[in-house]
Amino acid sequence: MRLEHEPCHFSTKEIIIRVEYKYCPNLTIIDTPGLIAPAPGRKNRALQGQARAVESLVRAKMQHKEFIILCLEDCNDWSNATTRRVVMQIDPELSRTVIVSTKLDTKIPQFARASDVEVFLSPPAGTLDGFILGDSPFFTSVPSGRVGSGHESVYRSNDEFKQAISLREKEDVASLEEKLGRPLSKQEINRIGVSSLRLFLEELLQKRYMDSVPLVIPLLEKEFRSATRKLNEINRELSSLDEVKLKEKGRAFHVQFLTKLSLLLKGTVVAPPDKFGETLQDERINGGAFIGTDGLQFSHKLIPNAGMRLYGGAQYHRAMAEFRFVVGGMKCPPITREEIVNACGVEDIHDGTNYSRTACVIAVTKARDTFEPFLHQLGFRLLHILKRLLPISVYLLQKEGEFLSGHEVFLRRVSSAFNNFAESTERSCRDKCMEDLMSTTRYVTWSLHNKNRAGLRHFLDSFGGIESSITGGNSVSPGISQESSFGPVSNDKQDPKPRADVKLSNLASGIDSSTSTSTSMQTTEMRLADLLDSTLWNRRLAPSSERIVYALVQQIFHGIREYFLASAELKFNCFLLMPVVDQLPALLREDLESAFEDDMDNIFDITNLQHSLGQQKQETEIELKRIQRLKEKFRQIHEQLNLYQIISRP
């Protein structure tokens, strides 16, 4: 009635009618809406949408493998498969489908020849694909008109409607025999009419019941045993609700819990990886990723075992391997000329530039900004991995029957103590690593920071040779010719002024050396003067100074990175992983004993537990009685069905 007044005459909301009989097995009948074949075109969009919704609903209902499908076809040519087209998408072989051709009384007059009726009643094997239930279709006719007392009702009672159906079946049989010119066989008559269809479905359902009842009884036996075992466990729990036994159970749980933690760290396959394992991608989502200052992260495919679902010690090792891979591959961030000039500053006793100090200032700042975020990310990731050990350990305890069910307050106390220990231990370990990072980036110790001296020396040597060439080719000091800067000087072709300079130099030094030696010393002094002029006394940033600073920064940054990587891994292993093994047992035991002494009643909540167990016992006893009644009922049904089957045999 509601849908008659709405533009859309279809609703997915189910209308459930429950009919109860005293002596009748359960049966669910689902009447779905009829399929619609709307005309194409924009004007029929609403009807087309309803057709799609109806088909989707029908398909969803037919998905259940245990359902019998009653496929109603309104056609006089089996080549037209309006309804079967949808049914065969779910049941291609029609192995659980009964095909019914409706409105037989309107189709019989449409046949002009007896052969057409023969084909319609017994379609060829290739026409109906699959192996339909009943081997061939059923044919039905239903009298039009409603049952009721209204003026629109045709039939005043159900019995009157049943008589009309029976009369319609006789008329259909007579019409078919007249068209065929012969009487129908018994097999053909058994396919005509609603009563024949009903009898077939009743026999089919009875067979299903006969096949299912023997399977139901063992299931009920299993449920009965399970409920009995549960009742015995509840009785044992009620008998052990005293302080001494509860303390013993708490201490035993403490030992078993620590055993499972140790097992997970050492490695085990007892817990299913598909339920508790995490791939590296999942781990990054839940525990955070290693991301540098540039905001980028490495592809997870570069890390070994990235696609495997790991937990426990294996997951901890993979996270540490990713940390080594990411941090070990970090390069020094780019250095700008402005950063170099700003880092020079002014000394407290002169205004010259100290490029070694400049390099140290830049290197430690870059290193601290680069590595500090990784330290926090590593702590958060490893803490996530450790906290995951708790639910996995609980699962293992439940699997082995060592879990304290019903003692939620006690279990929350243990969980809280474990999580607090993990968080405080991770925080303490991270603080130790921060101290190392701060010390490494506060004061540069060349023996520690400059690991690759040979590489730096090679770089500076090549750099010095290039600078010498530039100085010898382009710079001319006052009173010194370009030829006197490098190499031996000829005795014949010397200008008076350079010769005088050499003599003055020899006299000042008090050393009687050759012209070649004095020229070499003069060249060295000129190089030193040029170097001081381009570095110490000159604020104009030359390429040579920039390259020196860059080389020093790279060496210092590399040394800090190597030390930070080794120190962080060692400290997290020693001060985060190892305390779980050697400090957590004592801490949990101390917390447990303290709770037993101070708050025993609240820890186990004995009063509420007694009430809860008493209620569970009552519910379990009721469940046992219900299962027992079902067992007896199904035994009786099984016996009655067997007896009926024996009696009905010819």
Side-chain angles (χ1 to χ4, degrees), residues 336-617:
T336 64
R337 294 171 62 85
E338 290 180 344
E339 288 177 328
I340 297 175
V341 174
N342 280 310
C344 288
V346 178
E347 296 287 345
D348 56 354
I349 197 170
H350 66 89
D351 64 349
T353 54
N354 185 351
Y355 285 114
S356 62
R357 180 189 180 281
T358 300
C360 292
V361 170
I362 296 174
V364 297
T365 303
K366 297 283 186 183
R368 184 166 53 246
D369 293 342
T370 300
F371 299 129
E372 184 175 350
F374 286 112
L375 195 57
H376 295 280
Q377 293 164 12
L378 177 63
F380 191 81
R381 174 79 75 85
L382 297 182
L383 179 61
H384 163 73
I385 293 172
L386 290 182
K387 283 187 173 182
R388 293 187 66 246
L389 298 177
L390 180 62
I392 304 176
S393 300
V394 170
Y395 168 81
L396 296 180
L397 291 171
Q398 289 175 333
K399 185 177 181 180
E400 297 178 6
E402 299 168 349
F403 186 68
L404 287 178
S405 58
H407 300 282
E408 284 75 14
V409 178
F410 174 79
L411 297 174
R412 284 198 299 269
R413 177 89 180 222
V414 175
S415 301
S416 177
F418 174 78
N419 289 329
N420 291 337
F421 172 81
E423 291 173 2
S424 61
T425 306
E426 184 275 331
R427 187 166 50 251
S428 173
C429 178
R430 182 160 34 88
D431 290 341
K432 288 182 173 64
C433 293
M434 280 298 300
E435 289 179 359
D436 275 357
L437 181 61
M438 292 300 295
S439 64
T440 314
T441 57
R442 184 176 181 181
Y443 188 82
V444 174
T445 305
W446 291 105
S447 60
L448 174 67
H449 292 74
N450 185 19
K451 295 292 187 181
N452 191 8
R453 295 187 180 185
L456 179 62
R457 183 178 295 110
H458 177 73
F459 170 78
L460 292 177
D461 287 345
S462 63
F463 166 74
I466 295 172
E467 289 297 319
S468 300
S469 301
I470 294 173
T471 304
N474 298 326
S475 65
V476 181
S477 299
I480 304 177
S481 66
Q482 293 183 16
E483 288 80 3
S484 64
S485 298
F486 297 97
V489 181
S490 173
N491 293 328
D492 314 292
K493 300 179 180 179
Q494 291 289 336
D495 291 337
K497 192 171 183 180
R499 208 177 271 278
D501 289 338
V502 173
K503 290 179 179 179
L504 289 173
S505 176
N506 290 338
L507 290 173
S509 60
I511 302 172
D512 187 14
S513 60
S514 65
T515 302
S516 176
T517 303
S518 66
T519 303
S520 176
M521 291 179 61
Q522 184 182 18
T523 302
T524 303
E525 291 172 359
M526 290 174 60
R527 290 180 181 178
L528 179 60
D530 291 340
L531 181 61
L532 291 174
D533 183 62
S534 62
T535 57
L536 182 62
W537 299 330
N538 191 355
R539 288 280 172 159
R540 186 185 301 276
L541 188 60
S544 58
S545 303
E546 184 178 355
R547 294 182 66 193
I548 290 174
V549 172
Y550 179 78
L552 290 173
V553 168
Q554 293 293 327
Q555 292 300 314
I556 297 171
F557 184 91
H558 174 76
I560 295 175
R561 182 189 65 195
E562 296 301 315
Y563 180 80
F564 167 77
L565 186 58
S567 173
E569 182 175 1
L570 182 62
K571 279 185 167 52
F572 271 99
N573 287 336
C574 293
F575 299 112
L576 178 63
L577 180 62
M578 292 308 298
V580 176
V581 178
D582 53 28
Q583 295 181 17
L584 179 62
L587 185 139
L588 285 182
R589 183 61 180 265
E590 182 181 350
D591 182 79
L592 192 64
E593 295 299 332
S594 175
F596 287 164
E597 295 296 331
D598 301 335
D599 207 10
M600 180 67 182
D601 186 62
N602 289 333
I603 285 297
F604 287 100
D605 202 2
I606 299 176
T607 304
N608 289 335
L609 189 58
Q610 286 177 338
H611 176 73
S612 176
L613 288 174
Q615 187 174 0
Q616 291 180 27
K617 180 180 179 181

Side-chain angles (χ1 to χ4, degrees), residues 320-338:
M320 196 61 78
E322 184 187 6
F323 175 76
R324 287 195 303 269
F325 179 81
V326 174
V327 177
M330 290 301 298
K331 304 297 182 183
C332 181
I335 305 168
T336 64
R337 294 171 62 85
E338 290 180 344

Side-chain angles (χ1 to χ4, degrees), residues 84 251 352 391:
R84 275 181 292 137
R251 294 187 181 105

Side-chain angles (χ1 to χ4, degrees), residues 68 98 133 199-208:
I68 297 173
V98 179
L133 285 176
L199 180 62
F200 172 78
L201 292 176
E202 286 177 349
E203 292 176 351
L204 178 62
L205 291 174
Q206 183 180 2
K207 183 178 183 303
R208 290 286 182 95

